[in-house]
Amino acid sequence: MKLGFIGTGVMGAAMASHLLAAGHEVVVYNRTKQRATGLIEQGAKWRETPAAVAADSDVVFSIVGYPKDVREVYFGTAGIFAGIHEGAVVVDMTTSSPALAQEIATQATAQKVAALDAPVSGGDVGAKNATLTIMVGGDDAAYQRVLPLFELMGTHVNRFGTAGMGQHTKMANQIMIAGTMTGMVEMMVYAKSAGLPVDQVLTTLNGGGAANWSMANYAPRIMAGDYNPGFYAKHFLKDLRIALEEADKMQIELPATQLAHDLYAKMVDEKQLGNLGTQALIKLYAGWV
Amino acid sequence: MKLGFIGTGVMGAAMASHLLAAGHEVVVYNRTKQRATGLIEQGAKWRETPAAVAADSDVVFSIVGYPKDVREVYFGTAGIFAGIHEGAVVVDMTTSSPALAQEIATQATAQKVAALDAPVSGGDVGAKNATLTIMVGGDDAAYQRVLPLFELMGTHVNRFGTAGMGQHTKMANQIMIAGTMTGMVEMMVYAKSAGLPVDQVLTTLNGGGAANWSMANYAPRIMAGDYNPGFYAKHFLKDLRIALEEADKMQIELPATQLAHDLYAKMVDEKQLGNLGTQALIKLYAGWV
């Protein structure tokens, strides 16, 4: 099976390398060619456009930045749909909008191509160690066909329904994390302002009903003054925007998620801190700095 | 050492029973005598007022409902301070205000009594199994003296500083939980509205970066339609009120905690659902019911 991979940033490069390591032929494209160098050295073949990747592939994976990038990669004049052939499968692993995933699926059907949306969680570490969680939406037959490839990249792979349901699951994940992140930073601001020994408070809270992954992983980074991105704040803001747009379409109100969005918007758009990690939200709070 | 225990509700009765089981003499008082029956059968002696309990005790524990109840139990005409003798220790284990804990400590000092604030987490199960987390503030010598008794009731016992610091730590804990609870219910509302298989989404989220204790423990109850109190919503609202009052005094803003407070206030005060568990917050959301 000939594979294509579009988007070879930190996540994509690690993921594609597992496909190569398993012995697959992989053709690649990235907006910045330089970032594909490692993969090319590992045996991947470079193509000049997404269309050219698609023309040479039975399964095309993409993982890029924002929904507008996904749109360009799929629907652009030199996009995937300009090169793909009947019977192929396209798999967008970007965290992107469920509505766009459905658009892609509709166009795919028109070209007798199968489409899956398959966003991931687990970050750069998960991508490197092939321990990603992969949340898939789309046709089941296509899912079964791609599953052995997903399993080269992740340890928790599940299909949640038709086109868009992978993205919806990822949105649910981000809504949950919006709660743990806002709660965590406000807890730390309170603890510090009260004069508590924050390290000791964290140890105690990690052992009880307040325990959560964000606190276990990000609170120690904040304590160490480490605001480097495990996950970019600007990307988290993008995800929360998508989640709220979808909630709006479903006519549901999510006030806590809206507030988290507003805080991250302030951090990213107003304070220009979007290239820091999500834990740097704490920099908004007068009680911390 | 003669022990006193004031407040024999679900939490207090279980905690006092561990003191009795270890062979201590315990005198008890509760607003509703009937709720002390089990302890009296186990060997506890009944007293008619907090003052009478204090008069017969070297260490007096209290765990009641609201700060106003704590105030009555300590400062009322038949309160602890009306009966306590020099050299005794008072230990309030109610989740109450740090400011009130400091007031109690000041009065205690005036009467040559030591005071600890020692709120707990771990709920009725933790109280029953003696696995509570106990967060202590107050004089270290008094803490060392009471520590063997705390260890009969809990497995994670720590002192966080002077009077009020136990309460401040508990507030930090509740601020963190405000995040996990609001995030959890909004995630579930979103997932259900999107038509996702919610059980399967929960399993996936529990294995990754969104994982947290609230989701692991309360989401299954919501799925089963079980809104019984593990922890009363009305008590959680009380805790968030205290946390925000303290934040206000420290001149810090905690917008996510404020929003969680407002949602629980709507649930408890407006919808009259305060006797349900904290997970019943989801009943506020149009997308769930």
Side-chain angles (χ1 to χ4, degrees):
Chain A
M1 202 150 42
K2 292 162 73 183
L3 309 180
F5 211 102
I6 294 164
T8 58
V10 176
M11 296 295 290
M15 290 155 73
S17 78
H18 299 309
L19 302 175
L20 283 164
H24 291 286
E25 282 179 55
V26 183
V27 295
V28 301
Y29 168 80
N30 192 55
R31 200 160 49 186
T32 314
K33 184 175 178 179
Q34 198 191 328
R35 290 211 177 156
T37 312
L39 288 173
I40 293 166
E41 284 168 3
Q42 207 190 326
K45 301 281 183 292
W46 175 257
R47 292 291 178 273
E48 291 294 338
T49 63
V53 167
D56 278 354
S57 303
D58 301 309
V59 180
V60 183
F61 297 94
S62 57
I63 181 163
V64 295
Y66 294 84
K68 67 176 164 44
D69 304 315
V70 173
R71 186 173 291 283
E72 180 65 23
V73 159
Y74 278 82
F75 295 98
T77 46
I80 290 171
F81 284 125
I84 198 87
H85 54 80
E86 230 180 273
V89 186
V90 296
V91 186
D92 185 31
M93 304 187 78
T94 317
T95 295
S96 171
S97 97
L100 181 52
Q102 287 157 2
E103 256 187 83
I104 290 171
T106 301
Q107 180 60 32
T109 303
Q111 298 189 216
K112 298 193 173 143
V113 167
L116 299 173
D117 50 298
V120 304
S121 74
D124 52 350
V125 175
K128 237 168 243 159
N129 300 338
T131 55
L132 291 171
T133 294
I134 306 180
M135 295 156 269
V136 188
D139 177 63
D140 192 42
Y143 172 68
Q144 296 302 336
R145 200 168 145 201
V146 179
L147 185 55
L149 301 171
F150 284 144
E151 287 173 341
L152 295 172
M153 301 185 270
T155 41
H156 295 81
V157 186
N158 285 288
R159 177 177 170 271
F160 292 89
T162 55
M165 288 303 187
Q167 296 297 350
H168 274 310
T169 303
K170 181 67 188 282
M171 289 303 125
N173 189 76
Q174 303 305 69
I175 289 168
M176 184 66 253
I177 290 177
T180 59
M181 291 304 295
T182 53
M184 178 189 75
V185 300
E186 296 200 357
M187 174 273 290
M188 293 179 76
V189 167
Y190 180 97
K192 186 175 177 184
S193 301
L196 286 167
V198 183
D199 271 322
Q200 199 188 329
V201 169
L202 291 171
T203 303
T204 292
L205 266 54
N206 272 314
N212 65 88
W213 192 96
S214 294
M215 179 167 66
N217 286 273
Y218 287 123
R221 298 195 199 180
I222 293 174
M223 292 305 289
D226 173 6
Y227 298 109
N228 290 321
F231 185 53
Y232 281 116
K234 63 185 178 185
H235 287 160
F236 192 49
L237 175 60
K238 175 256 297 178
D239 297 353
L240 294 179
R241 279 198 176 121
I242 295 169
L244 290 167
E245 279 166 20
E246 294 292 325
D248 200 46
K249 286 185 216 165
M250 299 175 204
Q251 301 188 293
I252 53 172
E253 285 186 28
L254 304 176
T257 309
Q258 181 68 54
L259 181 80
H261 166 275
D262 296 350
L263 291 169
Y264 274 101
K266 188 173 174 188
M267 173 188 170
V268 172
D269 297 335
E270 190 178 314
K271 306 277 184 192
Q272 300 284 312
L273 299 174
N275 286 322
L276 297 180
T278 48
Q279 74 274 23
L281 182 68
I282 204 165
K283 286 176 170 279
L284 287 191
Y285 288 78
W288 190 259
V289 220
Chain B
M1 203 149 43
K2 291 161 76 183
L3 309 180
F5 211 102
I6 294 165
T8 58
V10 175
M11 296 295 290
M15 292 156 73
S17 77
H18 299 308
L19 302 175
L20 282 165
H24 290 286
E25 283 180 53
V26 183
V27 294
V28 301
Y29 167 81
N30 193 54
R31 200 161 47 186
T32 313
K33 185 176 177 181
Q34 198 191 327
R35 290 208 176 160
T37 313
L39 289 172
I40 294 167
E41 283 168 5
Q42 207 191 327
K45 300 280 184 291
W46 175 257
R47 292 289 179 273
E48 290 294 338
T49 64
V53 167
D56 278 352
S57 305
D58 301 309
V59 180
V60 183
F61 297 94
S62 57
I63 181 162
V64 294
Y66 293 84
K68 67 176 165 44
D69 303 315
V70 174
R71 186 174 290 285
E72 179 65 21
V73 159
Y74 279 82
F75 295 98
T77 46
I80 290 171
F81 285 125
I84 199 91
H85 54 79
E86 231 179 272
V89 186
V90 296
V91 186
D92 185 32
M93 304 186 79
T94 316
T95 296
S96 170
S97 98
L100 180 52
Q102 288 157 2
E103 255 187 83
I104 291 172
T106 301
Q107 180 61 30
T109 304
Q111 299 187 216
K112 298 194 173 140
V113 167
L116 300 173
D117 49 297
V120 304
S121 73
D124 51 351
V125 175
K128 237 166 245 161
N129 300 339
T131 56
L132 291 170
T133 294
I134 307 179
M135 296 157 267
V136 189
D139 177 63
D140 193 41
Y143 172 67
Q144 296 302 338
R145 200 169 143 201
V146 178
L147 185 54
L149 301 172
F150 284 144
E151 287 173 342
L152 295 172
M153 300 185 272
T155 40
H156 295 83
V157 186
N158 287 98
R159 177 178 171 271
F160 292 89
T162 54
M165 287 304 188
Q167 296 296 352
H168 274 311
T169 302
K170 180 67 189 280
M171 290 302 126
N173 189 76
Q174 302 306 69
I175 289 168
M176 183 67 251
I177 289 177
T180 59
M181 291 302 294
T182 53
M184 178 189 74
V185 300
E186 297 201 356
M187 174 272 289
M188 292 179 76
V189 167
Y190 180 96
K192 185 175 178 184
S193 302
L196 287 167
V198 182
D199 272 322
Q200 198 188 330
V201 169
L202 291 171
T203 303
T204 292
L205 266 56
N206 271 315
N212 64 89
W213 192 97
S214 294
M215 179 167 65
N217 286 273
Y218 288 123
R221 298 193 197 181
I222 293 174
M223 294 304 288
D226 173 6
Y227 297 110
N228 291 320
F231 184 53
Y232 282 115
K234 64 186 177 185
H235 288 160
F236 192 50
L237 175 59
K238 175 256 295 181
D239 297 354
L240 294 178
R241 280 200 174 118
I242 295 170
L244 291 167
E245 279 165 21
E246 293 293 324
D248 200 47
K249 285 185 213 164
M250 300 174 200
Q251 301 188 296
I252 54 171
E253 286 185 28
L254 304 176
T257 308
Q258 180 69 54
L259 181 79
H261 165 275
D262 295 350
L263 291 170
Y264 275 101
K266 189 173 174 190
M267 174 189 169
V268 172
D269 297 335
E270 190 178 312
K271 306 277 183 193
Q272 301 285 312
L273 299 174
N275 286 322
L276 297 180
T278 48
Q279 74 274 23
L281 182 67
I282 203 164
K283 285 175 171 282
L284 286 190
Y285 289 78
W288 190 258
V289 221

